[in-house]
Coordinates of all heavy atoms in Angstrom, one line a residue:
R1 N 0.9 -1.2 0.0 CA 0.0 0.0 0.0 C 0.9 1.2 0.0 O 0.6 2.2 -0.7 CB -0.9 -0.1 1.2 CG -2.0 1.1 1.2 CD -3.0 0.9 2.2 NE -3.9 2.0 2.1 CZ -4.8 2.2 3.1 NH1 -5.0 1.3 4.1 NH2 -5.6 3.1 3.0
Q2 N 2.0 1.2 0.7 CA 2.9 2.3 0.8 C 3.5 2.6 -0.6 O 3.4 3.7 -1.0 CB 4.1 2.0 1.7 CG 5.1 3.0 1.9 CD 4.7 3.9 3.0 OE1 3.8 3.7 3.8 NE2 5.3 5.1 3.1
A3 N 3.8 1.6 -1.3 CA 4.3 1.8 -2.8 C 3.2 2.3 -3.7 O 3.6 3.2 -4.5 CB 4.8 0.5 -3.3
Q4 N 2.0 1.9 -3.5 CA 0.9 2.5 -4.3 C 0.8 4.0 -4.1 O 0.6 4.7 -4.9 CB -0.4 1.7 -4.0 CG -0.5 0.4 -4.6 CD -1.9 -0.2 -4.3 OE1 -2.3 -0.2 -3.1 NE2 -2.7 -0.7 -5.2
Q5 N 0.7 4.4 -2.8 CA 0.5 5.8 -2.5 C 1.7 6.7 -3.0 O 1.6 7.7 -3.5 CB 0.3 5.9 -1.0 CG -1.0 5.4 -0.6 CD -1.3 5.7 0.8 OE1 -0.7 6.3 1.6 NE2 -2.7 5.4 1.1
E6 N 3.0 6.0 -2.9 CA 4.0 6.7 -3.4 C 4.0 7.0 -5.0 O 4.4 8.0 -5.5 CB 5.4 6.1 -3.1 CG 5.7 6.2 -1.6 CD 6.9 5.4 -1.1 OE1 7.7 4.8 -1.9 OE2 7.1 5.4 0.2
Q7 N 3.4 6.0 -5.6 CA 3.2 6.0 -7.1 C 2.2 7.1 -7.4 O 2.3 7.8 -8.4 CB 2.9 4.7 -7.7 CG 3.9 3.7 -7.8 CD 3.4 2.3 -8.2 OE1 2.2 2.1 -8.3 NE2 4.4 1.4 -8.4
R8 N 1.2 7.2 -6.6 CA 0.1 8.1 -6.8 C 0.7 9.6 -6.7 O 0.4 10.5 -7.4 CB -1.0 8.0 -5.8 CG -1.8 6.8 -6.0 CD -2.9 6.6 -5.0 NE -3.8 7.7 -4.7 CZ -4.4 7.9 -3.7 NH1 -4.3 7.2 -2.5 NH2 -5.3 9.0 -3.6
I9 N 1.6 9.7 -5.7 CA 2.2 11.0 -5.6 C 3.1 11.4 -6.8 O 3.0 12.5 -7.2 CB 3.0 11.1 -4.2 CG1 2.1 10.9 -3.0 CG2 3.9 12.4 -4.2 CD1 3.0 10.8 -1.6
E10 N 3.9 10.4 -7.1 CA 4.8 10.6 -8.4 C 3.9 11.0 -9.5 O 4.3 11.8 -10.4 CB 5.5 9.3 -8.6 CG 6.6 9.1 -7.6 CD 7.4 7.7 -7.8 OE1 7.1 7.2 -8.8 OE2 7.9 7.3 -6.9
R11 N 2.8 10.2 -9.8 CA 1.9 10.5 -11.0 C 1.4 12.0 -10.8 O 1.3 12.7 -11.8 CB 0.8 9.6 -11.0 CG 1.2 8.2 -11.6 CD 0.0 7.3 -12.0 NE -0.9 7.1 -10.9 CZ -0.9 6.0 -10.1 NH1 0.1 5.2 -10.2 NH2 -1.8 5.9 -9.1
G12 N 1.1 12.4 -9.6 CA 0.6 13.8 -9.4 C 1.6 14.9 -9.8 O 1.3 15.9 -10.3
V13 N 2.9 14.5 -9.4 CA 3.9 15.5 -9.8 C 4.1 15.5 -11.3 O 4.2 16.7 -11.9 CB 5.3 14.9 -9.1 CG1 6.5 15.7 -9.6 CG2 5.1 15.1 -7.6
A14 N 4.2 14.3 -11.8 CA 4.3 14.2 -13.4 C 3.2 15.0 -14.1 O 3.5 15.6 -15.1 CB 4.3 12.7 -13.8
K15 N 2.0 14.9 -13.6 CA 0.8 15.5 -14.3 C 0.8 17.0 -13.9 O 0.0 17.8 -14.6 CB -0.5 14.9 -13.8 CG -0.7 13.6 -14.4 CD -2.1 13.1 -14.1 CE -2.6 11.9 -14.8 NZ -3.9 11.6 -14.5
G16 N 1.6 17.4 -12.8 CA 1.5 18.8 -12.4 C 0.3 19.1 -11.5 O 0.0 20.3 -11.4
T17 N -0.3 18.2 -11.0 CA -1.5 18.4 -10.1 C -1.1 18.6 -8.7 O -1.8 19.0 -7.8 CB -2.5 17.3 -10.2 OG1 -1.9 16.0 -9.8 CG2 -3.0 17.2 -11.6
L18 N 0.2 18.4 -8.4 CA 0.7 18.6 -7.0 C 1.8 19.7 -7.1 O 2.8 19.7 -7.9 CB 1.4 17.3 -6.4 CG 0.4 16.2 -6.1 CD1 1.2 15.0 -5.7 CD2 -0.6 16.6 -5.0
T19 N 1.6 20.6 -6.2 CA 2.8 21.7 -6.1 C 4.0 21.1 -5.3 O 3.9 20.0 -4.8 CB 2.3 23.0 -5.3 OG1 2.0 22.5 -4.0 CG2 1.0 23.5 -6.0
T20 N 5.1 21.8 -5.3 CA 6.4 21.3 -4.6 C 5.9 21.2 -3.2 O 6.3 20.2 -2.5 CB 7.4 22.3 -4.8 OG1 7.6 22.5 -6.2 CG2 8.6 21.9 -4.2
R21 N 5.2 22.1 -2.6 CA 4.9 22.0 -1.1 C 4.0 20.9 -0.8 O 4.2 20.2 0.1 CB 4.3 23.4 -0.7 CG 4.0 23.4 0.7 CD 3.3 24.8 1.1 NE 3.1 24.8 2.5 CZ 1.9 24.3 3.1 NH1 1.0 23.8 2.4 NH2 1.8 24.5 4.4
E22 N 3.0 20.7 -1.7 CA 2.1 19.6 -1.4 C 2.9 18.2 -1.5 O 2.6 17.4 -0.7 CB 1.0 19.6 -2.5 CG -0.1 20.7 -2.3 CD -1.0 20.9 -3.5 OE1 -0.7 20.3 -4.5 OE2 -2.0 21.5 -3.3
T23 N 3.8 18.2 -2.5 CA 4.5 17.0 -2.6 C 5.5 16.6 -1.4 O 5.4 15.6 -0.9 CB 5.4 17.0 -3.9 OG1 4.5 17.3 -5.0 CG2 6.2 15.7 -4.2
R24 N 6.0 17.7 -1.0 CA 7.0 17.5 0.2 C 6.2 17.1 1.4 O 6.6 16.2 2.2 CB 7.6 18.9 0.5 CG 8.7 18.8 1.6 CD 9.4 20.1 1.7 NE 8.5 21.2 2.0 CZ 8.3 22.3 1.3 NH1 9.0 22.4 0.0 NH2 7.6 23.3 1.6
L25 N 4.9 17.7 1.7 CA 4.1 17.3 2.8 C 3.6 15.8 2.7 O 3.6 15.0 3.7 CB 3.0 18.3 3.0 CG 3.3 19.7 3.3 CD1 2.1 20.6 3.3 CD2 4.0 19.7 4.7
L26 N 3.3 15.4 1.5 CA 2.7 14.1 1.3 C 3.8 13.1 1.4 O 3.6 12.0 2.0 CB 2.0 14.0 -0.1 CG 0.7 14.8 -0.4 CD1 0.3 14.8 -1.7 CD2 -0.3 14.3 0.6
E27 N 5.0 13.5 1.0 CA 6.1 12.6 1.1 C 6.6 12.3 2.5 O 7.0 11.3 3.0 CB 7.2 12.9 0.2 CG 7.0 12.6 -1.3 CD 8.1 13.2 -2.2 OE1 9.0 14.0 -1.8 OE2 8.1 12.7 -3.4
R28 N 6.5 13.4 3.2 CA 6.8 13.5 4.7 C 5.9 12.6 5.3 O 6.4 11.8 6.3 CB 6.8 14.9 5.2 CG 7.5 14.9 6.6 CD 7.6 16.4 7.1 NE 8.3 17.2 6.2 CZ 8.2 18.5 6.0 NH1 7.2 19.1 6.7 NH2 8.9 19.1 5.2
A29 N 4.7 12.6 5.0 CA 3.7 11.7 5.7 C 4.0 10.2 5.5 O 3.9 9.4 6.3 CB 2.2 12.0 5.3
Q30 N 4.3 10.0 4.2 CA 4.7 8.6 3.8 C 5.9 8.1 4.6 O 6.0 6.9 5.1 CB 4.9 8.4 2.4 CG 3.7 8.6 1.5 CD 2.6 7.6 1.8 OE1 2.8 6.4 1.9 NE2 1.4 8.1 2.1
T31 N 6.8 9.0 4.9 CA 8.1 8.6 5.6 C 7.7 8.4 7.1 O 8.2 7.4 7.6 CB 9.1 9.7 5.5 OG1 9.4 9.9 4.1 CG2 10.3 9.5 6.4
R32 N 6.8 9.1 7.6 CA 6.3 8.9 9.0 C 5.6 7.6 9.2 O 5.8 6.8 10.0 CB 5.5 10.1 9.5 CG 6.2 11.2 10.0 CD 5.2 12.2 10.7 NE 4.2 12.7 9.9 CZ 4.2 13.8 9.1 NH1 5.3 14.6 9.1 NH2 3.1 14.2 8.5
I33 N 4.9 7.2 8.1 CA 4.1 5.9 8.2 C 5.1 4.7 8.1 O 5.1 3.7 8.8 CB 3.1 5.9 7.0 CG1 2.0 6.9 7.4 CG2 2.5 4.5 6.9 CD1 1.0 7.1 6.2
A34 N 6.1 4.9 7.2 CA 7.2 3.8 6.9 C 8.0 3.7 8.3 O 8.2 2.5 8.7 CB 8.1 4.2 5.8
T35 N 8.3 4.7 8.9 CA 9.0 4.7 10.2 C 8.1 4.0 11.3 O 8.7 3.1 12.0 CB 9.4 6.1 10.6 OG1 10.2 6.7 9.7 CG2 10.1 6.0 12.0
A36 N 6.9 4.4 11.2 CA 5.9 3.7 12.3 C 5.9 2.2 12.0 O 5.8 1.4 13.0 CB 4.5 4.4 12.2
E37 N 5.8 1.8 10.6 CA 5.8 0.5 10.4 C 7.0 -0.3 10.8 O 6.9 -1.4 11.3 CB 5.4 0.3 8.9 CG 5.2 -1.1 8.4 CD 4.8 -1.2 6.9 OE1 4.6 -0.1 6.4 OE2 4.8 -2.3 6.5
T38 N 8.1 0.3 10.5 CA 9.4 -0.4 10.9 C 9.4 -0.5 12.4 O 9.9 -1.6 13.0 CB 10.6 0.6 10.5 OG1 10.5 0.7 9.0 CG2 12.0 0.0 10.9
Q39 N 9.1 0.5 13.2 CA 9.0 0.5 14.6 C 8.1 -0.7 15.1 O 8.3 -1.4 16.0 CB 8.7 1.8 15.3 CG 9.7 2.8 15.2 CD 9.3 4.1 15.7 OE1 8.1 4.4 15.9 NE2 10.4 5.0 15.8
A40 N 6.9 -0.8 14.5 CA 5.9 -1.8 14.9 C 6.5 -3.3 14.6 O 6.3 -4.1 15.4 CB 4.6 -1.6 14.0
R41 N 7.3 -3.4 13.6 CA 7.9 -4.7 13.2 C 9.2 -5.0 14.1 O 9.6 -6.1 14.0 CB 8.2 -4.8 11.7 CG 6.9 -4.8 10.9 CD 7.4 -4.9 9.5 NE 6.1 -4.9 8.6 CZ 6.2 -5.1 7.4 NH1 7.3 -5.2 6.6 NH2 5.1 -5.1 6.7
A42 N 9.6 -4.0 14.8 CA 10.9 -4.1 15.4 C 11.0 -5.3 16.4 O 12.0 -6.0 16.5 CB 11.4 -2.9 16.1
D43 N 9.9 -5.6 17.0 CA 10.0 -6.7 18.0 C 9.4 -8.0 17.3 O 9.3 -9.1 18.1 CB 9.1 -6.5 19.2 CG 7.5 -6.3 18.9 OD1 7.2 -6.3 17.6 OD2 6.8 -6.1 19.7
G44 N 9.2 -8.0 16.1 CA 9.0 -9.3 15.3 C 7.6 -9.5 15.2 O 7.1 -10.5 14.5
T45 N 6.6 -8.7 15.9 CA 5.2 -9.0 15.8 C 4.5 -7.6 15.7 O 4.8 -6.7 16.4 CB 4.7 -9.7 17.1 OG1 5.3 -10.9 17.3 CG2 3.3 -9.9 17.0
V46 N 3.6 -7.5 14.7 CA 2.7 -6.3 14.6 C 1.4 -6.7 15.3 O 0.6 -7.5 14.8 CB 2.5 -5.9 13.1 CG1 1.7 -4.7 13.0 CG2 3.9 -5.6 12.5
T47 N 1.2 -6.0 16.4 CA 0.0 -6.2 17.1 C -1.2 -5.7 16.5 O -1.1 -4.9 15.5 CB 0.0 -5.6 18.6 OG1 0.0 -4.2 18.5 CG2 1.2 -6.1 19.4
A48 N -2.5 -6.1 16.8 CA -3.7 -5.6 16.2 C -3.8 -4.1 16.3 O -4.3 -3.5 15.5 CB -4.9 -6.3 16.8
K49 N -3.4 -3.6 17.6 CA -3.5 -2.3 17.8 C -2.6 -1.4 16.8 O -2.9 -0.4 16.3 CB -3.1 -1.9 19.2 CG -3.2 -0.5 19.7 CD -2.9 -0.3 21.2 CE -3.0 1.2 21.7 NZ -2.8 1.3 23.0
E50 N -1.3 -1.9 16.7 CA -0.3 -1.3 15.8 C -0.9 -1.4 14.3 O -0.8 -0.4 13.6 CB 1.0 -2.0 15.9 CG 1.7 -1.8 17.2 CD 2.9 -2.7 17.4 OE1 2.8 -3.8 16.8 OE2 3.8 -2.2 18.0
R51 N -1.5 -2.4 14.0 CA -2.0 -2.6 12.6 C -3.1 -1.7 12.4 O -3.2 -0.9 11.2 CB -2.6 -4.1 12.4 CG -2.7 -4.4 10.9 CD -3.2 -5.9 10.7 NE -2.1 -6.8 11.2 CZ -2.1 -7.5 12.2 NH1 -3.2 -7.7 13.0 NH2 -1.1 -8.4 12.5
R52 N -4.0 -1.4 13.3 CA -5.1 -0.5 13.2 C -4.5 0.9 13.1 O -5.0 1.7 12.2 CB -6.0 -0.6 14.4 CG -7.1 -1.6 14.4 CD -8.3 -1.5 15.4 NE -7.7 -1.3 16.7 CZ -7.4 -2.3 17.6 NH1 -7.6 -3.6 17.1 NH2 -6.9 -2.2 18.8
R53 N -3.5 1.3 13.8 CA -2.9 2.6 13.8 C -2.2 2.8 12.4 O -2.4 3.9 11.9 CB -1.9 2.7 14.9 CG -1.4 4.1 15.0 CD -0.4 4.4 16.1 NE -0.8 3.9 17.3 CZ -0.1 3.0 18.2 NH1 1.1 2.7 17.8 NH2 -0.5 2.6 19.4
L54 N -1.6 1.8 11.9 CA -1.0 1.9 10.6 C -2.0 2.1 9.5 O -1.9 2.9 8.5 CB -0.1 0.7 10.3 CG 1.2 0.6 11.1 CD1 1.9 -0.7 10.9 CD2 2.2 1.7 10.7
H55 N -3.1 1.3 9.5 CA -4.2 1.4 8.5 C -4.9 2.8 8.6 O -5.1 3.4 7.6 CB -5.2 0.3 8.7 CG -4.7 -1.0 8.2 ND1 -4.8 -1.3 6.9 CD2 -4.3 -2.1 8.9 CE1 -4.4 -2.6 6.7 NE2 -4.0 -3.0 7.8
K56 N -5.1 3.3 9.8 CA -5.7 4.5 10.0 C -4.8 5.6 9.4 O -5.3 6.6 8.7 CB -6.0 4.8 11.4 CG -6.7 6.0 11.8 CD -7.1 6.0 13.2 CE -8.0 7.3 13.6 NZ -8.3 7.4 15.0
A57 N -3.5 5.6 9.6 CA -2.5 6.5 9.1 C -2.5 6.4 7.5 O -2.5 7.6 6.8 CB -1.1 6.3 9.6
Q58 N -2.6 5.2 7.1 CA -2.6 5.1 5.6 C -3.8 5.6 5.0 O -3.9 6.2 3.9 CB -2.4 3.6 5.1 CG -1.0 3.0 5.3 CD -0.1 3.6 4.3 OE1 -0.4 4.4 3.5 NE2 1.0 3.0 4.2
D59 N -5.0 5.4 5.6 CA -6.3 5.9 5.2 C -6.3 7.5 5.1 O -6.7 8.1 4.1 CB -7.4 5.4 6.0 CG -7.7 3.9 5.9 OD1 -7.2 3.4 4.9 OD2 -8.4 3.5 6.8
A60 N -5.8 8.0 6.1 CA -5.6 9.5 6.2 C -4.7 10.0 5.1 O -5.0 11.1 4.4 CB -5.1 9.9 7.5
A61 N -3.6 9.4 4.9 CA -2.7 9.7 3.9 C -3.3 9.7 2.6 O -3.1 10.5 1.6 CB -1.4 9.0 3.9
S62 N -4.1 8.5 2.3 CA -4.7 8.4 1.0 C -5.7 9.5 0.8 O -5.9 10.0 -0.4 CB -5.4 7.0 1.0 OG -6.0 6.8 -0.3
R63 N -6.5 9.9 1.8 CA -7.4 11.0 1.6 C -6.6 12.3 1.3 O -7.1 13.1 0.5 CB -8.1 11.2 2.9 CG -9.4 10.2 3.0 CD -10.4 10.6 4.1 NE -9.6 10.7 5.4 CZ -9.4 9.8 6.3 NH1 -9.8 8.5 6.0 NH2 -8.8 9.9 7.4
D64 N -5.5 12.5 2.0 CA -4.7 13.7 1.6 C -4.2 13.8 0.2 O -4.3 14.8 -0.4 CB -3.5 13.8 2.6 CG -4.0 14.1 4.1 OD1 -5.2 14.6 4.2 OD2 -3.3 13.9 4.9
I65 N -3.7 12.7 -0.3 CA -3.2 12.6 -1.7 C -4.4 12.9 -2.5 O -4.2 13.8 -3.4 CB -2.6 11.2 -1.9 CG1 -1.4 10.9 -1.1 CG2 -2.4 11.0 -3.5 CD1 -1.0 9.5 -1.2
K66 N -5.5 12.3 -2.4 CA -6.7 12.5 -3.3 C -7.0 14.0 -3.2 O -7.2 14.7 -4.2 CB -7.9 11.8 -2.9 CG -9.0 11.9 -3.8 CD -10.2 11.2 -3.4 CE -11.3 11.4 -4.4 NZ -12.6 10.8 -4.0
R67 N -7.2 14.6 -2.0 CA -7.5 16.0 -1.9 C -6.5 16.9 -2.5 O -7.0 17.9 -3.2 CB -7.6 16.3 -0.4 CG -8.4 17.6 0.0 CD -8.5 17.8 1.5 NE -9.2 16.7 2.2 CZ -8.8 15.9 3.1 NH1 -7.6 16.2 3.6 NH2 -9.5 15.0 3.6
Q68 N -5.3 16.7 -2.3 CA -4.2 17.5 -2.9 C -4.2 17.4 -4.5 O -4.0 18.4 -5.1 CB -2.9 17.3 -2.3 CG -2.8 17.6 -0.8 CD -3.0 19.0 -0.5 OE1 -2.9 20.0 -1.4 NE2 -3.4 19.3 0.6
K69 N -4.3 16.2 -4.9 CA -4.3 16.0 -6.5 C -5.5 16.7 -7.0 O -5.5 17.1 -8.2 CB -4.2 14.5 -6.8 CG -2.9 13.9 -6.6 CD -2.9 12.4 -6.9 CE -3.2 12.2 -8.3 NZ -3.0 10.8 -8.7
H70 N -6.6 16.8 -6.4 CA -7.9 17.4 -7.0 C -8.1 18.8 -6.6 O -9.2 19.4 -6.9 CB -9.0 16.4 -6.8 CG -8.9 15.1 -7.5 ND1 -8.2 14.0 -6.8 CD2 -9.2 14.7 -8.7 CE1 -8.2 12.9 -7.6 NE2 -8.8 13.4 -8.7
D71 N -7.2 19.5 -5.8 CA -7.5 20.8 -5.5 C -7.2 21.7 -6.7 O -6.5 21.2 -7.7 CB -6.8 21.2 -4.2 CG -5.4 21.3 -4.3 OD1 -4.8 21.2 -5.4 OD2 -4.7 21.5 -3.4
P72 N -7.6 23.0 -6.6 CA -7.4 23.9 -7.8 C -5.9 24.3 -8.0 O -5.5 24.8 -9.1 CB -8.2 25.0 -7.5 CG -8.5 25.1 -6.0 CD -8.4 23.6 -5.6
Q73 N -5.1 24.1 -7.0 CA -3.6 24.4 -7.2 C -3.0 23.5 -8.1 O -3.2 22.2 -8.1 CB -2.9 24.3 -5.9 CG -3.4 25.3 -4.8 CD -2.9 25.1 -3.4 OE1 -2.5 24.0 -3.1 NE2 -2.9 26.1 -2.6
T74 N -2.0 24.0 -9.0 CA -1.3 23.1 -9.9 C 0.2 23.6 -9.7 O 0.4 24.8 -9.4 CB -1.7 23.2 -11.4 OG1 -1.6 24.5 -11.7 CG2 -3.1 22.7 -11.5
A75 N 1.1 22.7 -10.2 CA 2.5 23.0 -10.1 C 2.8 24.1 -11.2 O 2.2 24.1 -12.4 CB 3.3 21.8 -10.3
T76 N 3.8 25.0 -11.0 CA 4.0 25.9 -12.0 C 5.1 25.2 -13.0 O 6.0 24.7 -12.5 CB 4.8 27.1 -11.3 OG1 3.9 27.7 -10.4 CG2 5.1 28.1 -12.4
P77 N 4.7 25.2 -14.2 CA 5.6 24.6 -15.2 C 7.1 25.2 -15.2 O 7.1 26.4 -15.2 CB 4.9 24.7 -16.6 CG 3.8 25.5 -16.4 CD 3.6 25.8 -14.9
S78 N 8.0 24.4 -15.2 CA 9.4 25.0 -15.4 C 9.7 25.5 -16.8 O 9.2 25.0 -17.7 CB 10.4 24.0 -14.9 OG 10.4 22.9 -15.9
T79 N 10.5 26.5 -16.8 CA 10.8 27.2 -18.1 C 11.9 26.5 -18.8 O 12.1 26.7 -20.0 CB 11.1 28.7 -17.8 OG1 12.2 28.8 -17.0 CG2 9.9 29.4 -17.3
G80 N 12.7 25.7 -18.0 CA 13.8 25.0 -18.6 C 14.9 25.8 -19.0 O 15.8 25.6 -19.8
A81 N 15.1 27.0 -18.3 CA 16.1 28.0 -18.6 C 17.3 27.7 -18.0 O 17.7 27.1 -17.1 CB 15.6 29.3 -18.1

């Protein structure tokens, strides 16, 4: 799921539907989720509570990605200068 969301962010950047700031914030959220997942797995077992917390964080990140990709802001095209 993490990889899918990162691909969604990359597609948003490629299409110009995500600004630099939006991209940075979304990627930071994905990094936090990956860190939380690593910490949850550190003892060898992901508990039900940890799994719920990770799913909730992924759900929130997914909503944020959708919201940012579909808002009226777009990336400024580079001039290539």
Side-chain angles (χ1 to χ4, degrees):
R1 187 166 177 192
Q2 184 84 13
Q4 284 180 311
Q5 290 190 353
E6 289 173 6
Q7 288 175 351
R8 289 174 59 205
I9 294 169
E10 289 172 16
R11 284 193 303 268
V13 171
K15 286 184 170 184
T17 57
L18 290 174
T19 65
T20 303
R21 180 177 183 275
E22 290 170 341
T23 302
R24 187 175 58 245
L25 293 173
L26 294 171
E27 287 177 344
R28 191 175 300 152
Q30 291 301 306
T31 300
R32 279 193 298 270
I33 293 168
T35 301
E37 185 174 353
T38 299
Q39 289 174 345
R41 290 182 180 183
D43 64 357
T45 304
V46 179
T47 66
K49 183 177 181 180
E50 290 169 330
R51 192 174 301 112
R52 275 193 308 275
R53 188 179 307 133
L54 289 169
H55 282 281
K56 191 173 182 179
Q58 285 287 13
D59 291 344
S62 182
R63 281 191 303 274
D64 289 342
I65 293 168
K66 181 180 179 185
R67 194 175 302 125
Q68 294 299 338
K69 282 178 71 175
H70 293 91
D71 69 8
Q73 299 167 336
T74 57
T76 306
S78 62
T79 58

